[in-house]
Amino acid sequence: MSSIENTMPPKPASLFTLFSPRLLPATLMLGGGVTLYAVEAYIMATVAPSIVRDIGGLELFSWMTTLFVAAGVLGSITVATRPKGMGLRAVYIAAAILFGAGSLICAAAPAMPALLVGRAAQGYGAGMLSGLAYAFIRFVYPEPLWRKASTLYAAIWGVATVLGPTLGGFFAAGGAWREAFIVLVPLTLVMAVSARWLLPDVADDRAGGKTPLIQIVLLLTAVLLVSIAGTSGHGSYKIVLIAVSILLVTAMVMIERNSDTRLLPFGTAMITDPISRLYLTMFTLMLVLTSDIYIPYFLQTLHGVTPLVSGYLVALVALGWTIGAFFSASFSGRRAAVAIVTGCILETAATASLIPFMATTASFGDLVQLAPAVAAMFLMGFGVGIGWAHLVTRIISIASRVEQDKASAAISMVQSLGGAFGAALAGVIVNGAGLTHPGGIAGSLSAATWLYALMALPGLIAIALSVTIKPASA
């Protein structure tokens, strides 16, 4: 099967064109890979307590997420560092099989160590599938549809924040956590078998070179440490882990800047290069957005909102991301550049506005009282959504042909890094502000105030970076 891009006649770009008979198979395959990664990341948060109650291993609880995230980053890196001559389709097949095998191991795990092996395999396969979605864009779709495809993948992540916990809750409610893994196995087998016919067999057009092992080790170690920090309950321990992680990432960037063997596209380690500012904008957007993980706690503790309702309310962030992505899907040129800047401003302003809306003890007894907080949560996600696909498209379009796979893989990597660092930083802030000591209402008020004040600051960096991004036509 040849590249689909070369068989499509030029015509006005439309989001629905992704689902045309000619493109639908590839769209389902690539979108399905992103969906597996996104949904599985959120299902675990819901079924994890049931797993521990059944097979034990509470002391290893945090590693169920930590290994998945770290392996996912390694998987996205593998897309770009795979053996020379290995095509993207072969990587897709291997990734689907690996994810399915990991799911099977998790489903059959008699104890926590075995389950952690399965989670690592899942994360590695899912990371590859997510990275492949962006790597395949230039081969599957004509260039006018690159932005539309990026919009679709961004929307999938938004939907997953609702779909994942819902599915996880369904299986956890009946104590059927093993079935939550088993149902994924047949799907991954179908994906692996179908890839040969539904995805194009494209040549490996990467430049030759050595694998950047030092940078990979530094980055993975940093991801592991910051992921552990995000699940640790000790404030001082978190700070040390985050500090070491930052040092490791800094060391990796310095090596990237001076080495001929690079993990990231040329220019990523230099702030003066446009591609560097694009990735940094994505990172800061994800870092700020992760402050939403404490919204349900504050809603329940400070405002008397039930757990069920608070869960649906925080889903407004995901809904905003999805609606924002589709709202700006048709933008191009200067409108796309404006959308990126506007999105950064909206996210930053919405995050800061949660200080007066969330850090109070007012009871949200009616819609009028709840409306400002609802609007702020929605706008946090909307801001990311309207600019994300345009950031992705700009990265793919300005990266050199021989570094396209590096550029595509780095998108998933930066997204995961932003989320991991954001979760860890948010934990440091709320613990330092008194969430647990003194705790109670006073501690929650202080934590909410400091969390949304400090987490809005990186948004100012995102705004400053975004205004330097030139339109695609420039």
Side-chain angles (χ1 to χ4, degrees), residues 187-414:
L187 176 60
T188 55
L189 289 177
V190 170
M191 291 168 64
V193 172
S194 302
R196 182 174 178 81
W197 292 277
L198 301 184
L199 291 175
D201 184 18
V202 294
D204 184 0
D205 58 2
R206 295 171 298 158
K210 298 179 181 179
T211 301
L213 291 177
I214 296 177
Q215 293 97 305
I216 291 174
V217 170
L218 288 173
L219 182 62
L220 287 180
T221 305
V223 171
L224 279 171
L225 292 180
V226 79
S227 297
I228 294 171
T231 55
S232 172
H234 303 286
S236 58
Y237 190 40
K238 284 177 180 283
I239 293 173
V240 172
L241 290 174
I242 293 175
V244 174
S245 298
I246 293 173
L247 290 175
L248 291 174
V249 172
T250 302
M252 188 211 74
V253 170
M254 295 303 295
I255 293 174
E256 281 280 297
R257 180 177 296 177
N258 300 302
S259 175
D260 293 329
T261 304
R262 293 188 303 273
L263 173 64
L264 303 171
F266 178 77
T268 303
M270 297 176 287
I271 192 65
T272 54
D273 194 287
I275 200 167
S276 174
R277 297 195 293 274
L278 288 165
Y279 282 124
L280 280 174
T281 302
M282 298 180 87
F283 176 83
T284 49
L285 283 173
M286 285 304 303
L287 188 148
V288 173
L289 190 69
T290 313
S291 63
D292 72 343
I293 61 177
Y294 285 96
I295 288 178
Y297 179 85
F298 294 137
L299 286 173
Q300 295 172 43
T301 304
L302 298 175
H303 308 291
V305 177
T306 65
L308 179 63
V309 173
S310 67
Y312 281 118
L313 287 176
V314 78
L316 288 168
V317 178
L319 179 64
W321 181 326
T322 302
I323 292 177
F326 285 110
F327 173 79
S328 69
S330 62
F331 294 177
S332 62
R334 181 168 178 78
R335 293 180 70 196
V338 171
I340 294 173
V341 177
T342 303
C344 294
I345 294 172
L346 283 176
E347 186 199 36
T348 303
T351 302
S353 71
L354 284 174
I355 299 172
F357 300 151
M358 196 66 65
T360 70
T361 55
S363 175
F364 288 161
D366 56 59
L367 185 60
V368 174
Q369 291 176 307
L370 191 59
V374 167
M377 286 182 269
F378 177 85
L379 289 175
M380 282 179 69
F382 187 84
V384 177
I386 64 172
W388 191 266
H390 303 296
L391 289 167
V392 170
T393 304
R394 289 293 291 133
I395 288 171
I396 295 175
S397 64
I398 68 176
S400 65
R401 180 182 60 81
V402 296
E403 292 196 315
Q404 286 285 346
D405 287 350
K406 286 184 180 180
S408 301
I411 293 170
S412 296
M413 185 175 68
V414 168

Side-chain angles (χ1 to χ4, degrees), residues 37-56:
Y37 190 12
V39 171
E40 183 59 27
Y42 290 104
I43 284 180
M44 178 54 65
T46 310
V47 302
S50 298
I51 293 175
V52 171
R53 284 194 295 268
D54 189 13
I55 64 175

Side-chain angles (χ1 to χ4, degrees), residues 50-71:
S50 298
I51 293 175
V52 171
R53 284 194 295 268
D54 189 13
I55 64 175
L58 180 61
E59 69 280 3
L60 299 173
F61 185 91
S62 65
W63 285 95
M64 287 188 282
T65 299
T66 298
L67 284 178
F68 186 85
V69 172

Side-chain angles (χ1 to χ4, degrees), residues 41-117:
Y42 290 104
I43 284 180
M44 178 54 65
T46 310
V47 302
S50 298
I51 293 175
V52 171
R53 284 194 295 268
D54 189 13
I55 64 175
L58 180 61
E59 69 280 3
L60 299 173
F61 185 91
S62 65
W63 285 95
M64 287 188 282
T65 299
T66 298
L67 284 178
F68 186 85
V69 172
V73 172
L74 180 59
S76 65
I77 292 173
T78 301
V79 174
T81 60
R82 66 190 187 276
K84 183 64 179 174
M86 185 178 187
L88 293 175
R89 190 171 69 182
V91 178
Y92 186 99
I93 294 171
I97 292 174
L98 187 58
F99 185 92
S103 300
L104 195 59
I105 293 172
C106 289
M112 183 61 73
L115 187 131
L116 293 180
V117 172

